[in-house]
């Protein structure tokens, strides 16, 4: 009963705070980036909480439980990307401080059509990522509360939609900071207690199959590299991360926060994979997505268990709320406003953003039920972003001289390359279509800007 009270108090607090924050929001810019006055720690915390969601926690633990360390090592591609963004991209974003979405950045450099395409890709990508998160919370509610999967998905999505829709980015950032603190304490604590029950790390390592330590287990060396680059490129400069780079007090604030987030993610990926491996030793025969919640349910004592359960819910909600907010901003700023052909008041824009939040949540439920594996859903979702948007967006942020028309040619090449490789050729040699699409996009983008008239 104490565990349930802790969880109920936490979720109720989120809802109340979202309603309170919503009273001061009068424009979409307030909804998207608030006052742009956050310091390094807050940006670091909200950025980390945004990307460490159900996929990088429960999904990583599930893959470690089922097949070993391969996915955890491949996830370090994401960490490397964050460090690169902090070191080279974020310091050059000063001229886009007035923007509130990647679509606005693209529109300024490549024109209105690029802005609309980026907005549409933002909406689809965000819906898929939110779907992975609500699917993860559905597993949590199933294990801890005994709820059916569908009920857990609907309940979790409803909670996130309510506080995110009402409170905007201010509620999201504050919730992210709290959630970051909980997960930073709760997840290592769960891992340590699980190791003690299993007899220590040496006992866990000795009990696992030898192939669990082979990073190419279940694939090939080139297949592993493909997975590594998929995680490196898939969420790179995705809409919520662009927002986080724009809410800092200064440009170097965002740069430091991104580098810290990349370093922190390596540690977190190791901890979540360790939880999956330890669960494999303690509780063999589980459905892999239930590895992390089952271990927490059985290892931790009463009261402390409720705290860590709230931490697991926090991990997932922190990503879901960030991507919901970014989806709403992208749909309104980058699709509706450019195509409307008329003046739209701030009140209408804000109402539209909140409506999109609800619709994106509904689409997320569909994604969660259609693709139950969390990491597989993330990898599928990435195909709508990186092969179409990433290379031209990086060029814009880095201040490169580009031709406006190069975006359309590159986006088409990237999308066609990804589709042909993934669904026409069925990913030969185990190479994902995502890096192939990004390579096609980058090649045509370079050729067009180098030789095109």
């Amino acid at each position: 009963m104490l565990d349930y009270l802790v969880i109920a108090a936490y979720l109720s607090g989120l809802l109340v705070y979202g309603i309170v924050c919503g009273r001061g929001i009068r424009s979409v810019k307030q909804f998207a980036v608030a006052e742009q006055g956050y310091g390094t720690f807050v940006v670091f915390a909200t950025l980390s909480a945004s990307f460490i969601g159900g996929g990088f926690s429960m999904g990583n633990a599930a893959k470690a439980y089922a097949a070993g360390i391969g996915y955890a090592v491949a996830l370090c591609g994401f960490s490397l990307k964050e460090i690169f963004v902090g070191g080279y991209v974020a310091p050059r974003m000063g001229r886009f401080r007035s923007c509130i979405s990647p679509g606005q950045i693209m529109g300024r450099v490549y024109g209105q059509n690029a802005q609309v395409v980026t907005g549409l890709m933002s909406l689809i990508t965000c819906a898929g990522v939110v779907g992975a998160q609500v699917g993860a919370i559905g597993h949590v509610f199933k294990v801890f509360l005994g709820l059916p999967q569908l009920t857990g998905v609907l309940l979790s999505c409803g909670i996130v939609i309510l506080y995110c829709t009402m409170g905007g980015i201010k509620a999201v950032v504050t919730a992210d900071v709290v959630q970051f603190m909980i997960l930073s304490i709760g997840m290592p604590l769960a891992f340590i207690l699980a190791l003690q029950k299993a007899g220590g790390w040496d006992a866990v390592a000795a009990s696992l199959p030898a192939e669990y330590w082979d990073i190419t287990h279940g694939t090939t060396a080139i297949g592993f590299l493909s997975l590594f680059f998929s995680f490196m490129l898939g969420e790179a400069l995705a809409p919520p991360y662009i927002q986080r780079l724009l809410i800092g007090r200064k440009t170097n604030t965002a740069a430091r926060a991104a580098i810290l987030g990349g370093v922190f993610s390596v540690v977190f990926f190791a901890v979540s994979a360790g939880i999956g491996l330890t669960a494999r030793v303690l509780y063999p025969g589980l459905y892999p997505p239930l590895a992390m919640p089952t271990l927490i349910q059985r290892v931790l004592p009463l009261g402390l268990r409720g705290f860590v359960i709230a931490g697991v819910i926090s991990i997932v909600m922190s990503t879901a709320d960030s991507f919901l907010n970014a989806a709403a901003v992208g749909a309104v700023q980058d699709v509706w406003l450019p195509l409307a052909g008329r003046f739209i008041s701030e009140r209408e824009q804000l109402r539209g953003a909140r409506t999109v939040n609800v619709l994106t949540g509904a689409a997320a439920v569909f994604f969660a039920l259609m693709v139950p594996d969390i990491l597989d859903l993330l990898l599928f979702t990435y195909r709508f972003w990186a092969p179409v948007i990433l290379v031209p967006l990086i060029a814009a942020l880095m201040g490169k001289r580009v031709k406006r028309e190069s975006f359309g040619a590159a986006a088409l090449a990237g999308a066609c390359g990804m589709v042909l490789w993934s669904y026409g050729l069925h990913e030969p040699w185990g190479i994902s279509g995502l890096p192939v699409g990004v390579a096609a996009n980058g090649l045509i983008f370079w050729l067009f800007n180098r030789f095109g008239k």
Side-chain angles (χ1 to χ4, degrees):
M1 179 60 70
L2 180 59
D3 292 336
Y4 296 154
L5 290 175
V6 171
I7 298 170
Y10 172 71
L11 296 177
S12 300
L14 285 179
L15 292 176
V16 171
Y17 186 74
I19 293 172
V20 171
C21 287
R23 294 177 178 176
I25 296 176
R26 296 292 181 268
S27 68
V28 171
K29 184 167 185 178
Q30 288 180 313
F31 187 84
V33 294
E35 291 82 19
Q36 293 181 294
Y38 294 107
T40 299
F41 174 77
V42 173
V43 178
F44 157 61
T46 185
L47 179 64
S48 299
S50 296
F51 64 68
I52 297 178
F56 291 174
S57 57
M58 289 178 58
N60 186 28
K63 293 296 186 182
Y65 182 97
I69 65 170
Y71 269 80
V73 177
L75 279 170
C76 291
F78 180 94
S79 308
L80 185 62
K81 175 266 300 179
E82 281 300 301
I83 295 171
F84 172 82
V85 168
Y88 295 98
V89 179
R92 293 169 170 81
M93 290 184 59
R95 66 194 183 104
F96 296 111
R97 291 278 293 171
S98 61
C99 296
I100 63 175
S101 69
Q104 282 193 324
I105 295 171
M106 298 291 275
R108 183 178 293 185
V109 177
Y110 300 102
Q112 179 176 293
N113 290 340
Q115 181 175 359
V116 173
V117 171
T118 304
L120 290 172
M121 294 301 103
S122 297
L123 185 59
I124 296 171
T125 301
C126 290
V129 173
V130 175
Q133 310 317 310
V134 298
I137 303 182
H139 292 310
V140 172
F141 284 2
K142 180 177 181 179
V143 172
F144 295 135
L145 304 179
L147 297 176
Q149 176 74 5
L150 177 59
T151 304
V153 166
L154 294 175
L155 177 62
S156 60
C157 194
I159 293 170
V160 175
I161 287 173
L162 281 173
Y163 82 79
C164 181
T165 299
M166 295 301 299
I169 194 67
K170 185 176 180 181
V172 169
V173 168
T174 303
D176 281 353
V177 173
V178 173
Q179 290 160 347
F180 173 79
M181 299 300 293
I182 294 175
L183 72 89
S184 297
I185 298 171
M187 300 313 298
L189 182 60
F191 182 39
I192 291 169
L193 294 178
L195 281 179
Q196 290 178 350
K197 184 172 183 177
W201 177 250
D202 290 340
V204 171
S207 301
L208 292 169
E211 61 267 21
Y212 269 45
W213 305 107
D214 179 6
I215 61 174
T216 64
H217 174 50
T219 182
T220 61
I222 195 169
F224 171 80
L225 288 175
S226 168
L227 187 64
F228 181 90
F229 283 109
S230 292
F231 284 122
M232 176 185 288
L233 302 171
E235 279 189 31
L237 298 173
Y241 309 147
I242 290 288
Q243 283 182 287
R244 296 309 181 273
L245 297 177
L246 293 171
I247 65 174
R249 189 176 297 121
K250 299 177 181 178
T251 301
N252 60 359
T253 298
R256 290 194 299 267
I259 293 172
L260 288 173
V263 174
F264 173 80
S265 67
V266 175
V267 178
F268 189 86
F269 296 154
V271 170
S272 57
I275 288 175
L277 295 174
T278 307
R280 174 68 170 75
V281 172
L282 291 174
Y283 312 110
L286 292 175
Y287 176 49
L290 301 182
M292 179 180 285
T294 299
L295 181 141
I296 292 171
Q297 175 80 350
R298 297 183 183 180
V299 167
L300 299 182
L302 185 67
L304 181 59
R305 181 170 56 213
F307 172 79
V308 178
I309 293 170
V312 174
I313 295 173
S314 296
I315 292 171
V316 183
M317 285 189 168
S318 60
T319 298
D321 58 23
S322 300
F323 276 83
L324 268 180
N325 182 273
V329 173
V332 172
Q333 290 293 310
D334 302 327
V335 180
W336 186 22
L337 290 183
L339 297 180
R342 65 178 181 86
F343 172 76
I344 299 175
S345 68
E346 290 285 358
R347 183 184 295 273
E348 283 184 281
Q349 292 179 40
L350 185 58
R351 189 184 303 120
R354 286 171 166 161
T355 301
V356 172
N357 253 2
V358 177
L359 296 177
T360 304
V365 171
F366 172 78
F367 280 129
L369 298 177
M370 290 296 294
V371 186
D373 187 283
I374 302 166
L375 275 183
D376 286 347
L377 177 53
L378 285 180
L379 289 170
F380 172 77
T381 300
Y382 293 165
R383 297 177 179 184
F384 292 94
W385 181 255
V388 179
I389 304 298
L390 182 58
V391 174
L393 178 58
I394 291 176
L397 293 174
M398 297 289 285
K400 302 297 183 182
R401 293 176 61 87
V402 296
K403 296 181 173 66
R404 280 196 163 206
E405 297 80 3
S406 61
F407 171 80
L412 182 61
C416 291
M418 183 275 294
V419 170
L420 177 63
W421 188 268
S422 296
Y423 304 105
L425 301 177
H426 302 289
E427 300 187 343
W429 307 294
I431 300 174
S432 169
L434 190 150
V436 173
V438 173
N441 181 297
L443 176 62
I444 297 303
F445 183 78
W446 178 79
L447 288 173
F448 202 99
N449 282 289
R450 179 68 176 81
F451 300 108
K453 294 183 179 179

